[in-house]
Amino acid sequence: MLLQIRRSLILCFIFIFLCGIAYPLIGTGIAQTFFHYQANGEITKNGSYLIGQNWTGPKWFQGRPESDNAMASGPSNLGSSSKQLKTSVQQSASKLKREGIQPTPDLVTTSGSGLDPDISPQDAYAQVNAVSKYNHLPIQTVLSLVKSEIQQPQLGFLGSQYINVLKLNTALYKLEQSKNR
Amino acid sequence: MKTNVITPPSESNAQIQSRKGIIGGTNLFDRKIILSSLKTSVFKLDFRVQIKNPVMFVVLVGTVITFVESIAHPSLFTWTITGWLLLTVLFANFAEALAEGRGKAQAQALRKMRSETDARRMLPNGTEESVPASQLLKGDIVICEAHDIIPSDGEIIEGVASVDESAITGESAPVIRESGGDRSAVTGGTRVLSDRIVIKITAEKGHTFLDKMINLVEGANRQKTPNEIALTILLAVLTIIFLPVVVSLEPFGLYAHSAVSITILIALLVCLIPTTIGALLSAIGIAGIDRLVQRNVLAMSGRAVEAAGDVQTLLLDKTGTITLGNRMASQLIPVGNHNELELAEVAQLASLADETPEGRSIVILAKQLHNLRERNINKDHTFVPFSAMTRMSGLDIDGKQLRKGAAQATKDWCVELGGIIPPNLDAVVERISKQGGTPLVVADGPDILGVIGLKDVVKEGIKERFDQLRAAGIKTIMITGDNPLTAAAIAQEAGIDEYLAEATPETKMNLIKSEQAEGKLVAMTGDGTNDAPALAQADVGVAMNSGTNAAKEAGNMVDLDSNPTKLIEVVTVGKQMLITRGALTTFSIANDAAKYFAIIPALFSKTYPDLNGLNIMRLHSPQSAITSAVIFNALVIVALIPLALKGVKWRASSATSTLRRNVFIYGIGGFITPFIFIKLIDLVVTGIGRI
Amino acid sequence: MQFTLTISTLCIILIFTWRFLGSYITAVYTNKINYLRAAERLIFKALNIDQFGEQSWQRYTLSLVVFSIVSIFITYALLRLQGGLFLNPQHLAGVTPALSFNTAVSFVTNTNWQNYAGETTMSYLSQMVSLSVQQFVSPAVGMCVAVVLIRGIARRESKTVGNFWVDLVRGVLYIFLPLAIVSGIIFVSQGAVQTLAGPILIKNSLTHFSQTIPRGPVAFMEAIKELGTNGGGFFNANGSHPFENPTGTTNLLSIVLMLSIPVALTYTFGKMVGNIKQGFILLLTMAILFAGCLGLALYGESHGSIAISSSHVSQTISGNMEGKEVRFGTSNSALYNIASTQTSTGSVNSANDSYTPLGTTALISGMMLGEVSPGGVGSGLYTILLFAIIAVFIAGLMVGRTPELLGKKIQAKEVKLAGLAILIMPITVLVFTGIAVAIHAGQSGAFNRGPQGFTEILYAYTSQANNNGSALAGLNGNTDFYNITGAIAMMLGRFAVILPTTALAGSLALKKTVPNSLGTFKTDNLLFGGLLTGTIVLVGGLTFFPALALGPIVQSLSHKVF
C-alpha cells in the first residue's frame, strides 16, 4: 500500500511535468512560432474576427442577440419549450420588425457560445433593405457586398455557409467611406 | 415426434413407454396431481419458502403491501390488483408443485416396494438370524434363496442366481447374477427367482439405491444447478434494477405534481420484474430430471444433467451402441488347395456345439451358402470351449481336431502339430481385417482349410444420428478393443468421428483427460469395475444398471435399461433444460415493453394527459390498463407451465440455427404477444365493468 | 448534401483509425513497439518497477485505485492553492472546497463535469497542470481497465493480467501524447488560441464598442480534451466557443478525435482475442446505436423548437438555432453533441439545454444506454463487453449449453460481476435524481420550468454517473448539494464499475478456453450483433423509460410551452 502511494505520487509528478508543463509549453512554442496570428486570437484593430460584438442596427448589420460579452461565454440555456424563450424571441422579432427587418431564426436566438461572430446569408439578406435605406446606399450594392462576404464551407462541405459580421461591417464601412469621398 | 428429433431409431417412443416399470407412466397432467398441487400451492405461501426465489419473494411482499392498502383505501381496483398479485404467487407455486407432484407420486410407488422384508443375516460363527432389512449395515452378510426379496444393495460373494429386476428397471426378463466379475451386483428390492446366493451388503443404512431413487424423484435434496444459480443471480439483478425504477417514480411524480398510488407502483414493479421465468425456474429444473426418469435414467444430480447439455465429446462403446452386440459370419474364404464347401463343412462342425452368437452365425452362414443342414452329433465328441489362453474353440470328433480361432493362435497350433501354412493365408487374413472384419482361421488338425470372415453389423440409422450430433457440434469417439484396422473400418461405416482401438481402462482414461485438457466436457457409459475411474473422471458418466456397484458409484447417472445409446438422450434432455430457461427468460424480459406502454400513460394521466399518446394499444382507462397488464402477467405463467414441464424442443442442429429460431419465437414473440393479449384482456375487463 | 459528405468523410477516417490505430494500440499493450524506450526506462526506474513483471488482478486494481485517489488529492490541492501560484494573469482566487472536490473527482474520473466557468475561475496553471494532466491520465486509466478485460478473455489459465504502471505509462507516452501534439497543431492553425498572455482589451473604432477577450493555452488542451473523451473545455461555452472550435475543420477533427480511440479499441479487442470479426461486430453494434441516436437528434433539431415556431418565426431552413453557432448549423451541431454524449466526452458545440425534446432524448439516450456507442476511451469497450456477457448468458442458454464468450464459460460469478457493474449506473442515476427532485436543495438547481427542469436534474446525474460530463447547463450545479452528490455519482460511475470489471477479468483469465465447435454459440455474427443491441436497448430502455416519459417524452407529445 505504501509502495503504491509512493509510486502514485512519483508518477503524478512525472505526468505533471510531461503533460501539464512540457506539453502545453511546447505547444505554445509551436503555436507562437508558426501560427502567431491564429494563436493569439485573430486580433485586428477593430476586434477579433472570432468573437462577436454588439452592432446596433440598422446602421450596421447586426449579429446574433447578446453575442458580445466575451468574459461570460455561454448560451441562454432556455429550453425549446420554455415560455421565457418564447417571450425573448417575440421581443427580438418585434424589435427587428420595427427596424424593418423580417426576423430569421438566427437573429432572434442566442448562440451556443454567446459570442457567435457570424450570421447566415439569409440573416444578412433580411437586413439588406434596412441597412441600405439607413445608410442611403443602393440596395444592389449592399446586396453584392453581402454576397461577396459569404464564406463557403471549408473544402466545400465542412460546416455551413456564413458571413463574419465584423468583416461584413468593415466592408460596409469602406463602402460608405468610398461613397462619401 | 419429428424425424430429426433425436430418439433412438430402433426404439420408438411407444416402445420406451411399454418398458416403463414402476417409474414414470403418470400423465403430465394427471387429475390427482393437479388437485394436490393446487393444495400445495397455498401451503407454499410462506415467506421462508419464497425467500429462496427473489423474484417471487418481491411479488409476495408487494401483495402484502397492496393488501394493506386495499384495507386502508378500499376500492374495486385495489382489491382486483391485490387478488391478481396473490394469484401470481399462487400460479408460481402451482407450477412448482405440479413439477414436484409427479415425482412424489413416483416416490410413493417406490416406497411401497421397499416393504419391510426380513433379511437372513449370517453371523460370524456361521449361524443365521432374522433382522428387518432396514437394520442391515454395510458389510453384513445375508443369504437369499428363491422367492426372497433382496433386502439391500450388495455384492454376491457366493453362488449364482437369476434375479427379477423388473421392480427397478421395468424389464420383465430375469437376469443372471453371479459372484465374481462384473455381474455380481444386486439391488435391494429385486427378487431372487432361483438358487441361493450369499450377499455382502455394500450400502449404508438409508442410502440404498432405492432410497436414492426415492429422494431423487421426489426432489427432496434438489440443489440448484450452476446455470440455475447464475440465472437466479441475473433475475435478482433485473429485480434490483426495477426497484429504484419504480420507487423513484414517487418523487418524480411529486415533482410533476402528480402523486402515484402505491398500489399502482407495486403493480408496475410486479409487471416489470421477470416473474414469468422467476415463477417457472424451479419447475423447469425439476421437470428436466423428471424427463430423464421417464427415460429410465437416474441422474444423481441436476448438475450432471446440465453438464450433459454441455458435452462436446461422447465416448461410445462400440459393442451394443454402434454395432449390434455380436459379430456375424459374413464370408468363407478357402486357402491352399481347399474349396469353399470343404471349408464350410469343417467350419459348421467346429461351431455346432458353440452356443455363442458368433458360433450360431457360422452355422447359419454355412446353411445359407451351401445348404448344409445342422447335423446331429450324438457320436463321441468333445467340445473345446474358447479360452483366453488358446484363443480357439472347436470340436474333437472322430479323432479329428477341428478348430477355429484367432489367426495367429490357430497358425501356431497347426505349426506345432507339424502343419504347413498355406502361402495365401496371410493375405486373406489381412484383407478381412482391413475390411473391418475379424478373421477366424479354420483348421482340421495341422491342415488349414480357410478363413471365416466375421463382421460387426452397424446398427441401422446410427450414421444419421452421428451426423446430427456432428451438426450440433458434438464429437463422437468409438471405444473398442478391436485392432486399429478393424476399428477404422467400423468407424467409417458408422460415420463416427474418431475411434480408440485396443482400448484399455488406461487408454480410455487418458483419452478423457486429453479431451478435458482441451476444455471439452466428456460423456461416457460404462459398466465394469475397471470402468469406474473413467466414469468418475468423465463429466457425465452413465453407469449401466447391469454393471457393478463400483461403476454405479463412480458415475453420476445410472441407466436402468442398461442401454448405452441413452447417452444421446441424456444430452438432449440436458440441452432442453438450458434452452427452456433461456427461452422463458428472453420471453419474460421481452414482455416488459408492452407493459410499459400500458402502464406509463395510465400512471400520469392526470398531470400529463398528453402521455396518452404512448397508449398505443388504446386501452380503455388507466385502471383497466393497469389491471390488464397485471392479469396478463399472472395468466402467462399458467399458459407457460406445459412448456416449462415438457421443455423447449431441441433439434440437433448448429447453435446458430437453434439460436435464430429461439430468438425469433421467444424474443420477437415475447415482444409482440403481450400487446395482443393485454388489449384482449382490456376488452374483457371493460366489458365486465360495463355489466 | 454537404452534411452527407461530412458523414462519409467521418466514416472513411474512422475506418482507417479502426484498422490502423487499432493495431497500433494492440502493439502498445502487447509490447510490440518501444521507440520511446529511453523515456520509459527512466520512468520505470524512478518508479522502481520491472517492466515485464505482471500483477494479479487484485494488485492491478489496488494500484489503479490508489493512483486515482492520489490524483484526486493532488488535483484538489492545486485548485485550492491556485491563488498563490504562478501563471495566474487574472489573479483568480483559490477554488472553493466543494467545487474543488467536485472538479478533482470530475477530471480524475474522466467525466469533466464543470460546475464553473473556466475563463473566470481557473488560472492558466490550474488549466494546465491540474486539469489537462488528468485529461491525459484518466483516459489512460480507462484504457488499462479495457486492456485488462481483453487480456482476461484472451488468456487461458493465467493468474496475472498485466502491470498497471506499465500499461498506464505506455498509454500516455505512446498513444495520448503523440496524437495530442499532432491534433493540437491543427487546432491552432485553424484559429484556436494558444498563448500564455492574458486577456486582451479591444476597442472597435467603428462602433466604439469595447470588450475584454480572455485567452489562454487552449488549442492543445482542446486536442487532449477530445482525444481522451474528457470534454472539459477551457471556456464556459466549451466547444461552441470560437477560440476552442473555430471552424468546420476543427469541428470535424473534434468529432474524429472523440470517436477514434473508442472505435479503434474494438479492433484492438478483436486482434488481442484472435478474432477480428468479433471486434467488428462490437463496432457494428456501436454504430447502429450511434446512428439511431444521431438520426433522432437530426430529425428533432431540423424541425425546430416550439418556443420559436409559436413566435411565428419560420425555422424551415435553419432548424432549431437557439444555442447553436451559425458556422456549424443544426446538423453539424447535432453530430458533434451526439458524438460527445455517446463517447463520454461531454463537450458541446451547442447548448444541450436548448435542444428539442427529441434532440434531448437522443443526447441523454447515449448515456442511458450505458455509454457504449462507442463510449469513453476504454470505458466504452469494457462496458459493452459487460453487456455482451449478459447477452451471451441469456441467449447462450437458448442454444442448450453453458454460455460462452469466446471460449470462456459465463457462470454464476461472471453473471454476478457483470450484473453488478451494469446495475451501478441506473441505480445511481435514479436514486440521486429521486433525492434531488424531492428536496429543496435539488429542486432549486433547475433553471427551466416544467418537464425541462426535471430533465435538467435527470440529465445531470445521468451524465455524471456515466462519466460523460455534458449538461443541460441551465442547471445551477455549483452548490454544495450538487457538487457533493455529483462527485459521489461520478466516483460510483467510475470505480464501482471498474472494480467488478477487473474482478471479472481476473476470473476470466483463470478459466480454460472451451474449443469452438458447431455447438458453440457464435458471438461474431450479425445475429449476436442484433442480440447485443437488443440487450443494451432493452436494459437502458426499461430502466429509464418512465423517467424519460416525465421529461422529454411528455414535452414532445404536448407541444406546449411551460
Side-chain angles (χ1 to χ4, degrees), chain B residues 226-227 229-231 233-234 237 240-242 244-245 248-249 251-253 255-256 306 309-312 470-473 516-521 574-575 578-579 581-583 585-586 589-590 592-593 596-597 600 604 608 610-611 613-614 650 654-656 658-660 662-663 666, chain C residues 390 393-395 397-403 409-412 415-416 419-420 422-423 426-427 430-431 433-434 437-438 443 446 450-451 453-454 457-458 512-522 525 527 531 538-539 541-543 545-547 549-550 553-554 557-558 560 562:
Chain B
N227 276 309
I229 293 169
L231 187 54
I233 291 171
L234 182 76
V237 166
I240 293 169
I241 278 194
F242 286 121
V245 169
S248 66
L249 276 176
F252 292 0
Y255 185 81
E306 216 175 71
D310 283 354
V311 160
Q312 279 173 295
R470 195 172 304 113
Q516 285 174 333
E518 285 176 37
K520 295 176 181 170
L521 260 60
K575 285 197 180 291
L578 294 185
I579 293 175
R581 285 192 196 128
T585 306
T586 309
I589 299 170
D592 280 2
Y596 261 143
F597 281 100
I600 295 294
F604 302 107
Y608 296 135
D610 298 314
L611 276 178
L614 293 176
W650 178 66
S654 76
T656 310
T658 309
L659 183 66
R660 189 171 298 131
N662 288 330
V663 166
Y666 300 99
Chain C
I390 299 296
F393 182 76
I394 298 174
L397 282 177
M398 282 196 289
V399 308
R401 274 220 335 225
T402 297
K409 280 199 173 150
I410 305 303
Q411 288 162 309
V415 172
K416 186 160 57 183
L420 188 67
I422 286 175
L423 267 180
I427 291 183
L430 292 168
V431 168
T433 310
V437 300
Q443 292 164 347
F454 172 74
I457 297 171
L458 176 70
K512 284 183 189 169
T513 304
V514 182
N516 246 323
S517 78
L518 273 172
T520 308
F521 169 28
K522 296 266 184 302
N525 55 19
L527 181 62
L531 279 170
L538 217 58
V539 170
L542 293 179
T543 319
F545 187 77
L550 289 170
I553 293 180
V554 70
L557 288 172
S558 69
K560 279 197 303 222
F562 294 87

Side-chain angles (χ1 to χ4, degrees), chain B residues 206-260:
Chain B
H207 288 88
T208 66
F209 187 67
L210 205 58
D211 292 318
K212 278 188 201 159
M213 230 163 112
I214 292 168
N215 281 338
L216 193 80
V217 295
E218 218 173 24
N221 24 12
R222 195 179 88 83
Q223 286 184 322
K224 284 187 175 167
T225 58
N227 276 309
E228 196 177 348
I229 293 169
L231 187 54
T232 309
I233 291 171
L234 182 76
L235 298 181
V237 166
L238 287 171
T239 310
I240 293 169
I241 278 194
F242 286 121
L243 276 172
V245 169
V246 171
V247 172
S248 66
L249 276 176
E250 186 70 32
F252 292 0
L254 284 174
Y255 185 81
H257 310 293
S258 161
V260 185

